[in-house]
Structure formats: structure tokens, C-alpha cells
Amino acid sequence: MTHSATFAIPYADALARLTLGAEPVMRPQALSREQLLEAYHPDHGGDARVPLRVGANRGEPCHPALARIIEGNALIGDVDLVAVDPIATDVLVIGGGGAGTAATLAARAAGAEVILAAKLRIGDSNTVMAEGGIQAAIGEDDSLRRHFDDTMKGGHGAGFPQLVAQLVSDAPDVIRWLIGLGVGLDLADGHAPGTRLMRKRAGGTTAARILSHRDFTGLEMMRVLREAVELDRGVTVLNRSPVVELLSDERGRCAGAVLYDLEHRAFRVVRAGAVVLATGGAGRLHLTGFATSNHYGATADGLALAYRMGARLRDVDSFQYHPTGIAWPPHLAGGLISEAVRSVGAKLVNGLGERFIDELAPRDVVTAAILRECAEGRGVSRDGGLGVFLDTPALLAAQPDLLTTQLVSLAHLAHRAGVDPAREPLMIYPTLHYQNGGVAIDRDGSSSVPGLYCAGEVTGGIHGRNRLMGNALLDIFVFGRRAGTAAADYADGVLPGRFGLDHVQRWQRELSHAGMIDGPRSPVLYPTYGHFDLRGHMAGANKG
């Protein structure tokens, strides 16, 4: 969803209207937040959703492009599992990001042997792109109740209260766990022993509860988690091994998965007592035509696989578009500028030099406000691109040391863009950022399919219909750890039985009865513009 730059203010004219170093004037708001979202947010509108036609959520709404993936034909159906020697493990974790590594460490702490399978490499995930920080109610002026209320309100009341309560209740212990592993968090009063953690306020919150490592918090956390997993001899890491199908047993339980080893062009069959699905979101599907901040592997694999297995989903018509994606230069389009920049005071300014929204309103509201400015001709155009200004010159005039202390990633991004942020504002436009919905889970990450646990962005019910900054990093560690522990406990009581692809055959029959057998195949695994054809790649592999 992009608007024409024809009806926008040319960059040079817009820049001339911006008084560098001065506070821009706020334009009065004509619409309520609800009216703004209804009129301009991409989740709304006549073509924003379609009913699912098959599966456990038949008749419920889903984004049209995502529905085609979720209701797709199996990517494989002709693999001779008998010809592939299976690998056995207690717990199979699918996904090498924060949720997957947290689940792996928790399962190991519970005594399970673990195989972790990563589509790319362990650590190549959206986690490393989480810049702003992690929420946890640890301040004297804060409480678990306030964190709960902020999260429920930010998600428009659609979050599942039991999941939100678990999220906020586990937060302080998650912070202690991360620090114990070696994650460094910014301190408020220098670096002397006993000093307090620095806390910042996120959009849509009533207290300062964001904890961070400068503005590359997720990268710091992923560095520590990856090392912890790789040093654990009870974990086998399979890089470049995307999952192409789950396995089921005669009781309908999840019994493992079929992987495809890209290095050796061979299938791997992993028999597991329990599976933790931590495959992330759907950003690389570029829903509604948006650029994305997501990593290369974010193609909704987990949703397609879990749904085919029979798992229930929720809120799969709801996505978050981060307000501040790079809009210029074009080769960086969609790259993320952390909310941390706005939390320390940067303002959003249109082509007329006006502020038009509270920068720390919830992300969906700020996104809709930016799209409104562009739709109504108050955006800024440059080289065919469209956006508004993030007024970094005014911010850095007041706090010139921010680029070297708190906003290190912003300094690197501005350098790549060829922009001096102290003299020139950055052009921004919303970027497809997060999948609000996903697989329905309970407080231990259990899906509706026995033996299948889920954690991280592949799940739904925690954030409702809009996620607050900092709750994603918290989510992956809270529910990653809980899913890993629960999967280990479940696997300890599972007796090996017959396993195969019976659920795939049932799924294909359902598609046939619905007249949908000619649809696309899923999981997608990689974006189409990567020119990678997995089925062509599999030619000659060990299939029957």
C-alpha cells in the first residue's frame, strides 16, 4: 500500500519549511484515534481480509495474501520417509531466533536432549533487529498491573488476559535470567556496582519500563543466547535446514518434522517427543505492498505448517506497521529506525513543517497518522519516494551526544543513507513489522495439537491487535522458556510410535473437496524475489 508521490511536497520545499533546531508546531487533530485507524490503517478497508475456507478456523477472517499461504498445498507429499534414516531427539526446536534459543536452553535445563533447526543460521532472525529494548515493570513507580493494563489497552482489548498476565508476571525474572547469561543492559547512574538500570518510556505506556542495550538490544541478547546454545553439548544445531513439513503419529500428536538440508540437498527426518515451533512472522510476504523491516526468512512458515496439522489460529487479519521505516534512499526502504529515537524526543513533521501526531501514541495510531499525511498531500516526495520527516536535527541540537551514547544504530543507518542526522531530517514511511496474530497457545505455549508448542511471533493472543514496543523481546523469552520447559516435560512421557504424514493426506483431501487443490504450495520458505526454487533444488534429493 503506497501512495503516489505526485500529490506531495517536493523534498527541497519541505526542507525549507523545516526550521532546523526549532520545535515544530502541532496541528490540531480532526479525527479520534478510532476514526484515524478505521480510515487509514492497512488492517481496515474492504480488501483487508477474507474468510478462511478450510481448516480449524474456517469462516474466520485472514489477510488475503496470508490466506493463500495458510491454505496452500503441502510443499512435499512424495517423500519416502522409509528411505530416510530418522534422527531421534527429545525436543525439536524449529527456529534459531530469540524464542527458539530460549526454548532450547529451557528444555536443556529440564534435562531434555534438543535439536535446533534453523532455516538460515542460528541468530539470523528478527530478534537481532529489535533495537529499542524490552519491557519489564521493575521501577518503584511501576507495577505488574500497570504493565498489564498498558498491554491490554495497546492491543485494543483483544489480548488474551491469561497470556498477558503471564507475560508481565514473568518479566522481572526474565531480566534476571538475561543478565545472568551475560546480557549487558544500560545503567542509569554510570557503571558502578549497585547502580540502577536505565528505563525509558515506550509509546502507549504509562510508565518508563523499557530496558535496553543502547539501540541494538536484540543484537546483544542474540549474541549471548547463541553462544549459550552453541556451547551446550546437549544441543545439536542444524543450520540451513528449513522445515518443509511436520510429522504426526497415529494419535494425531506432533511427532517431529521433515527438514531439508540445503548444504547436502537431502531430507532429514527428525523424530521428536515434542516440537517447539518458533519460526517468526510474515513480513517478507510484503502484505499490501509494504516494504518490511523483517529478516529474509520471515515467510509465515509456522502458520502454514501448524494450521495444516490442525492447530487453531487467532487474529491472522492483524499486522503491525512500524511507523518509522526508512523511505529514502530507495535501496534502504523499510529499514527500521527504532522507536527509541522518538522516546528520547524526536518529532514527526510533515511537508508543511507541522507536527501531526503524538509521537509516543501506540504504533498503529502513529502509522495511520503518517499514512493520512501522505494520502492528503502533506507528505514529502524525493526521487519518487514518499514519506514524512523524522526531525533529528532538533533532537540532536538539544542532545548532541545521543548518537554516541544511546542511538548508535541510528548513526550507522544515517551514514548508510548518506545523511547527517544533525543537519538533515530522515525521511520515513511505515514498514511492515510484526504479525500480531498467530497460533493460539496457552500459558505454557501449548497449541491445540498435542506435542506441538509455539513461541514468539508465530503465536497469537498476547498482543491483541497492536503490539507495544518492548513487548516482543519480552514475549519471546517468557513464552520461549515456558514452551521449552513444557515440551521437555511432555516428551519425557511420550512413548515412540508410528509416525508419518497422515495429516497431510487429510489436508489435501480437504482442499480437494473445497475445490482448492490448484492453489499455491506452502511453506514458502524464501521470498520469491530471491529466485530460489526449493522444489527445483530438491530434484534428485532422497525422495520417492
Side-chain angles (χ1 to χ4, degrees), residues 242-264:
V243 58
V244 292
E245 193 54 67
L246 296 174
L247 295 173
S248 55
D249 68 10
E250 66 274 15
R251 297 185 181 181
R253 300 177 297 191
C254 187
V258 182
L259 313 177
Y260 185 71
D261 185 334
L262 291 168
E263 298 288 349
H264 299 93

Side-chain angles (χ1 to χ4, degrees), residues 76-426:
I76 62 168
D78 52 356
V79 176
D80 182 4
L81 298 184
V82 177
V84 184
D85 291 332
I87 309 168
T89 189
D90 297 326
V91 175
L92 170 63
V93 176
I94 301 170
T101 52
T104 296
L105 294 174
R108 287 291 299 131
E113 295 293 310
V114 180
I115 290 177
L116 185 154
K119 182 198 293 192
L120 302 173
R121 297 170 299 177
I122 183 172
D124 287 342
S125 66
N126 282 343
T127 303
V128 300
M129 301 177 184
E131 298 174 341
I134 183 170
Q135 286 207 44
I138 63 171
E140 295 176 356
D141 59 342
D142 202 359
S143 68
L144 299 182
R145 182 73 205 191
R146 288 182 75 174
H147 191 178
F148 176 90
D149 289 344
D150 286 347
T151 300
M152 290 296 295
K153 183 179 179 181
H156 301 285
F160 192 50
Q162 288 88 338
L163 294 181
V164 178
Q166 196 69 63
L167 177 81
V168 305
S169 298
D170 283 6
D173 186 60
V174 161
I175 299 304
R176 286 189 288 268
W177 176 71
L178 289 168
I179 292 173
L181 287 175
V183 172
L185 296 174
D186 294 335
L187 303 176
D189 308 308
H191 301 283
T195 54
R196 298 184 179 185
L197 294 173
M198 180 186 292
R199 293 182 289 122
K200 295 178 288 190
R201 186 181 160 222
T205 63
T206 58
R209 71 172 68 94
I210 289 289
L211 312 176
S212 59
H213 182 94
R214 298 191 179 181
D215 63 345
F216 49 93
T217 310
L219 181 63
E220 163 69 4
M221 292 175 173
M222 197 69 251
R223 175 189 68 82
V224 172
L225 290 165
R226 183 186 63 211
E227 290 178 356
V229 168
E230 290 180 335
L231 290 172
D232 192 322
R233 294 188 177 183
V235 179
T236 300
V237 176
L238 302 178
N239 286 317
R240 291 177 54 78
S241 296
V243 58
V244 292
E245 193 54 67
L246 296 174
L247 295 173
S248 55
D249 68 10
E250 66 274 15
R251 297 185 181 181
R253 300 177 297 191
C254 187
V258 182
L259 313 177
Y260 185 71
D261 185 334
L262 291 168
E263 298 288 349
H264 299 93
R265 296 198 174 206
F267 290 106
R268 291 180 183 265
V269 174
V270 180
R271 173 72 171 94
V275 173
V276 177
L277 204 57
T279 51
R284 284 287 170 165
L285 298 179
H286 296 285
L287 304 176
T288 325
F290 275 81
T292 185
S293 62
N294 283 196
H295 78 107
Y296 189 67
T299 52
D301 298 352
L303 292 186
L305 293 167
Y307 195 61
R308 188 146 62 230
M309 191 88 180
R312 283 200 57 81
L313 309 178
R314 56 171 298 160
D315 300 321
V316 284
D317 61 334
S318 177
F319 296 85
Q320 182 169 93
Y321 298 80
H322 195 291
T324 50
I326 281 284
W328 187 92
H331 69 278
L332 295 179
L336 194 63
I337 298 175
S338 171
E339 189 169 312
V341 184
R342 285 175 286 133
S343 71
V344 295
K347 301 297 189 284
L348 293 171
V349 181
N350 64 20
L352 298 177
E354 305 167 323
R355 281 182 69 200
F356 52 88
I357 192 67
D358 174 6
E359 290 79 9
L360 292 183
R363 285 176 172 176
D364 56 349
V365 174
V366 180
T367 288
I370 294 169
L371 295 177
R372 175 192 58 191
E373 297 305 297
C374 293
E376 295 182 355
R378 294 184 295 273
V380 179
S381 64
R382 186 175 187 181
D383 299 336
L386 181 65
V388 297
F389 285 143
L390 181 66
D391 191 2
T392 52
L395 173 68
L396 296 174
Q399 303 179 70
D401 63 334
L402 283 176
L403 289 181
T404 56
T405 56
Q406 297 185 47
L407 304 179
V408 178
S409 292
L410 175 66
H412 289 305
L413 184 59
H415 177 74
R416 291 175 61 199
V419 173
D420 179 355
R423 297 178 176 274
E424 183 180 356
L426 291 159

Side-chain angles (χ1 to χ4, degrees), residues 36-59:
L36 184 63
L37 291 171
E38 185 69 30
Y40 293 101
H41 194 277
D43 279 357
H44 298 270
D47 58 351
R49 54 185 56 84
V50 296
L52 290 168
R53 297 163 60 189
V54 295
N57 291 75
R58 182 169 46 249

